[in-house]
Amino acid sequence: MARAPRTNSNATASKLATHEAVCAERYQGIMARIGRLEALVIGATGTTVVGLIWAVWQLSKIVK
C-alpha cells in the first residue's frame, strides 16, 4: 500500500482555519434560517389560537 504524502503543520493549520471559517459561516446561515422558522411557527400558532377563540365566540352567539 502506498503511503499518503506527509504534510507539514503549517498546511494542516491553514486547512483547519479555512474549515473553521467555512463552518462558522454555514452556522450563521443555519441560525438565521432557524430564526425565520421560529417566527413563522409563532405567527401561525397565534393565528390559530385567535381563530379558534373567534370560532368559539361565534358558535356561542349561535347557541344562545
Side-chain angles (χ1 to χ4, degrees), residues 1 29 45 53:
M1 290 178 87
T45 301
I53 290 171

Side-chain angles (χ1 to χ4, degrees), residues 29-51:
I30 290 169
M31 293 309 292
R33 291 174 76 183
I34 288 174
R36 288 191 301 267
L37 273 172
E38 285 177 341
L40 181 68
V41 168
I42 290 170
T45 301
T47 301
T48 302
V49 168
V50 169

Side-chain angles (χ1 to χ4, degrees), residues 19-31:
H19 175 75
E20 287 176 345
V22 169
C23 285
E25 190 173 330
R26 287 180 182 168
Y27 181 77
Q28 288 176 348
I30 290 169
M31 293 309 292

